[in-house]
Amino acid sequence: MKLDRHLHQQIRLQNWLFTILFLGLIGLLGWLSQHYATAWDWTASGRHTLSEASRKVLDTLKEPVTITAYAREENQEVRERIRDLVTPYQRHKPDLTLVFVNPDLHPDKVRELGITMDGELVIEYQGRREKLTDLSEAGLTNALLRLASSEQRTLVFVTGHGERDPLGDANFDLGQFGHALQQRGFKIETWNPVQHPKLPEGVTALVIASPQTTYLPGEVKLLRAYLEQGGNLWWLLEPGDLKGLKPLAEQLGIEPLPGTIVDPSGQILGIADPTFVLVAQYPPHPITRNLRNLSLFPGARALESGGESPFHPTPFLETLPRTWTETGPLEGEIRLDPDQGEREGPLTLGLTLTREFQREGEKEPVRQRIVVVGDGDFLTNTYLGNGANQDLGLNAVQWLTHQDRFIDIPAHTAPDTQLNLSPLALTLIAFGFLLLLPAGLLACGGILWWRRRRA
């Protein structure tokens, strides 16, 4: 075909047009990549895709969510792990924001929030806040689920007998813990049975926090009636007299052991006072499921269950085996003395009690829940920041108020991460790569060398 001038112009025009369209397509793709994001998960188990349960929880969150990750800049491995965890949530909920904060540059904020480890997350939604150390989809989804709950839960603290003030600022009060509960949507109220014999309306759980004076028989009767009607209760005990609440212990089927728990473990860690009890491992229980750090209990007493009671006891706090209950003076050289009735560890420090209760006029029975801990100091303003004390207390309240809707999200496991070969296959592969292949290459090289030499 003869190329005349007109045909040359057409070809040149087509080339320019193709170049312009190609550059326009590249520009369009660049603009789309900046404004829209699309991802495909081609893994066999879909391990980069959110579960159906997580997507449903995100759909219930109508307002923006902020996740602040307290991770050091030099710890890029942790930051990358957090980013990988949060990114699928952001794809489903674009107004979910992830912010990284270097904890070394904000020590006041870290102290205020009680951040205890590098990589801890603080999740905020509608003025409420949840902390998270479990960097997993189940942990993050459950934290979002707790924040999404708008149900009002009321904790009523009994007063009038020297109990710890739930919002007080004194060292022995529970002010910091009470404010942490309020940030999670709990309503805090107090109740003095002498001034107001009738309980406030809408009580989710009653709290008896380390009374210092003895309850009157009429007050104990009110508390027993509350339990008989299926009320939830959190009872914080201290060593010594039960302050008139022995009938309550008998009703629950528990027996607080005499004496104070002594734990030599503290001296190894530099704690001079032997009455500081360390709990490093937790029995399986929803309250302690996500706890990884140790908790500290100053001046605690042990508990025992087994009395006649309709409640089912389950220990969730136990001391180390080297502990014992010291009934003598806590000075000088102290040692275990079984002849004095002292018990050797491990000792039960915390118990939960449950029973099915049928309320009048309701079709379905409710599960009544009780939490008893042989120490109230661990939640005070002085000791709340030690180890996992605050998380332990918050988990106990969440469980007590039936907010333990933990979602069991199955872990995404890849089926192709392991290669299982028979011994025969391993032998053949090793024989082929270690002997046959090198021998074949040497033979080829030798043949080529020999042929070139003869040519």
Side-chain angles (χ1 to χ4, degrees):
M1 182 176 65
K2 185 178 181 180
L3 297 177
D4 55 9
R5 182 178 180 184
H6 179 69
L7 189 56
H8 270 292
Q9 289 178 346
Q10 283 187 340
I11 293 175
R12 192 177 297 113
L13 181 62
Q14 288 177 357
N15 290 338
W16 276 107
L17 185 60
F18 173 79
T19 303
I20 292 172
L21 290 176
F22 181 74
L23 292 177
L25 179 62
I26 296 297
L28 179 62
L29 291 176
W31 182 85
L32 289 174
S33 66
Q34 292 294 321
H35 292 77
Y36 300 94
T38 303
W40 292 273
D41 185 0
W42 291 350
T43 57
S45 61
R47 57 182 180 270
H48 299 299
T49 302
L50 281 183
S51 65
E52 181 67 21
S54 297
R55 292 197 294 271
K56 286 183 178 178
V57 171
L58 289 175
D59 291 339
T60 64
L61 301 170
K62 303 304 180 185
E63 296 188 18
V65 176
T66 301
I67 299 178
T68 305
Y70 287 84
R72 293 182 174 87
E73 293 181 359
E74 59 269 24
N75 201 345
Q76 289 298 323
E77 183 179 352
V78 172
R79 287 196 170 197
E80 193 62 30
R81 185 181 169 193
I82 294 171
R83 197 175 286 109
D84 291 342
L85 171 65
V86 175
T87 298
Y89 289 82
Q90 291 178 308
R91 290 197 198 106
H92 194 81
K93 184 175 175 57
D95 58 354
L96 188 150
T97 307
L98 174 63
V99 180
F100 284 100
V101 173
N102 189 344
D104 294 335
L105 301 180
H106 303 274
D108 295 338
K109 194 68 176 177
V110 169
R111 194 178 305 110
E112 176 189 344
L113 296 174
I115 303 297
T116 58
M117 60 175 287
D118 197 21
E120 194 164 344
L121 305 183
V122 176
I123 309 157
E124 296 174 277
Y125 177 71
Q126 290 185 333
R128 298 192 294 275
R129 181 185 298 156
E130 279 280 343
K131 290 195 305 177
L132 181 67
T133 57
D134 177 18
L135 300 181
S136 66
E137 181 183 349
L140 181 54
T141 299
N142 281 308
L144 292 171
L145 181 61
R146 289 192 292 271
L147 289 172
S149 175
S150 58
E151 181 183 354
Q152 183 70 62
R153 294 156 287 168
T154 303
L155 293 178
V156 176
F157 286 73
V158 182
T159 62
H161 309 85
E163 293 91 347
R164 303 181 190 276
D165 188 343
L167 299 175
D169 296 326
N171 292 340
F172 49 81
D173 284 333
L174 310 177
Q176 295 181 19
F177 182 65
H179 292 304
L181 289 173
Q182 288 178 325
Q183 289 176 350
R184 283 157 179 79
F186 287 94
K187 184 180 180 182
I188 305 295
E189 292 187 6
T190 57
W191 174 52
N192 189 323
V194 175
Q195 296 178 348
H196 306 284
K198 187 178 179 181
L199 264 171
E201 296 290 336
V203 178
T204 309
L206 201 65
V207 183
I208 303 175
S210 309
Q212 301 299 309
T213 58
T214 303
Y215 280 71
L216 299 173
E219 296 174 297
V220 178
K221 187 177 179 180
L222 288 174
L223 296 174
R224 287 173 58 88
Y226 170 77
L227 287 179
E228 289 172 357
Q229 295 168 7
N232 302 315
L233 174 70
W234 191 6
W235 188 7
L236 299 174
L237 292 166
E238 300 293 344
D241 185 19
L242 288 179
K243 311 302 179 186
L245 295 177
K246 186 176 181 180
L248 206 65
E250 293 174 348
Q251 184 178 359
L252 297 175
I254 62 172
E255 181 181 356
L257 299 180
T260 302
I261 300 177
V262 171
D263 188 354
S265 307
Q267 296 179 347
I268 301 174
L269 301 177
I271 302 175
D273 192 339
T275 63
F276 280 62
V277 181
L278 299 174
V279 175
Q281 293 184 338
Y282 303 91
H285 195 281
I287 293 178
T288 56
R289 179 182 300 174
N290 296 320
L291 292 185
R292 299 291 182 268
N293 299 328
L294 59 84
S295 47
L296 179 68
F297 299 86
R301 75 182 305 171
L303 308 171
E304 194 173 58
S305 62
E308 293 186 5
S309 168
F311 295 94
H312 174 69
T314 304
F316 71 98
L317 289 174
E318 286 185 347
T319 65
L320 295 171
R322 63 175 71 99
T323 58
W324 75 88
T325 58
E326 178 61 46
T327 57
L330 295 169
E331 55 186 9
E333 184 179 354
I334 54 177
R335 62 182 60 184
L336 173 65
D337 188 357
D339 296 336
Q340 297 297 323
E342 297 178 351
R343 301 284 189 87
E344 186 177 8
L347 302 164
T348 299
L349 185 57
L351 273 173
T352 61
L353 301 108
T354 57
R355 70 161 175 165
E356 297 289 337
F357 180 77
Q358 183 67 54
R359 286 199 175 101
E360 188 176 353
E362 295 184 1
K363 295 182 179 179
E364 298 294 330
V366 297
R367 178 168 287 272
Q368 185 180 8
R369 293 181 170 182
I370 313 291
V371 177
V372 183
V373 180
D375 180 46
D377 297 289
F378 79 105
L379 291 177
T380 60
N381 297 329
T382 303
Y383 300 107
L384 185 67
N386 287 276
N389 285 17
Q390 177 169 306
D391 293 336
L392 174 63
L394 293 174
N395 289 355
V397 173
Q398 296 281 11
W399 180 84
L400 184 67
T401 56
H402 298 262
Q403 295 297 315
D404 56 333
R405 295 175 293 172
F406 296 111
I407 299 174
D408 292 325
I409 299 174
H412 295 296
T413 55
D416 53 353
T417 57
Q418 291 185 344
L419 179 63
N420 297 318
L421 297 173
S422 63
L424 177 61
L426 287 174
T427 303
L428 292 176
I429 291 174
F431 183 77
F433 279 94
L434 294 178
L435 295 177
L436 288 183
L437 184 61
L441 293 174
L442 285 174
C444 291
I447 292 172
L448 290 174
W449 172 80
W450 181 74
R451 292 181 62 179
R452 287 178 179 175
R453 184 175 182 183
R454 288 177 57 87

